[in-house]
Amino acid sequence: MLKQYSVLTKCLAELKNSDLPIIEKLKLEVQLIQTKRILLDQKVEYRVAGVASSEREFNSLYEQIRSACNSGKIKSEIEQIKGHIHQIKDQTLRYAS
């Protein structure tokens, strides 16, 4: 299993156990699940497996989510996380081409 996929699973677990507003939690969960789906593509999986920069990017996302789940600055952090996930999805989709 890809490390990136495992990191996204950890992100979802953090969200599940957080006290974030439900609507924000659901929006983030949808984006994370969409990203996991992209990683299931065989071309993508083959191209991102073992890519250190990709793994760092996903780990950075996890740290952002973990921080937001334990912080009082929810709104600004969630917007940054949404942008980060969007960036990761775009980069990952390039591997499918």
Side-chain angles (χ1 to χ4, degrees):
M1 178 181 299
L2 286 173
K3 289 181 183 178
Q4 294 90 330
Y5 194 89
S6 297
V7 170
L8 292 176
T9 300
K10 286 177 18 180
C11 290
L12 288 165
E14 286 287 336
L15 285 173
K16 182 179 180 180
N17 296 322
S18 77
D19 292 330
L20 293 177
I22 297 293
I23 191 71
E24 296 301 332
K25 194 185 298 193
L26 290 173
K27 287 177 184 178
L28 291 173
E29 286 175 353
V30 166
Q31 287 188 315
L32 291 170
I33 291 168
Q34 287 173 341
T35 307
K36 285 178 84 169
R37 188 185 132 319
I38 293 167
L39 288 173
L40 291 174
D41 181 285
Q42 285 184 336
K43 275 186 187 177
V44 173
E45 183 178 0
Y46 176 75
R47 291 181 176 173
V48 300
V51 176
S53 61
S54 175
E55 291 173 6
R56 279 193 303 273
E57 193 70 30
F58 279 78
N59 285 326
S60 171
L61 174 64
Y62 172 72
E63 291 303 322
Q64 252 186 318
I65 288 176
R66 198 173 69 127
S67 173
C69 290
N70 298 314
S71 170
K73 301 179 283 182
I74 294 171
K75 190 67 174 172
S76 63
E77 287 188 70
I78 288 177
E79 290 306 315
Q80 288 177 344
I81 291 169
K82 287 178 186 176
H84 197 171
I85 295 171
H86 183 71
Q87 177 187 5
I88 286 174
K89 281 181 11 183
D90 284 348
Q91 290 171 348
T92 306
L93 277 171
R94 287 188 203 128
Y95 287 110
S97 303

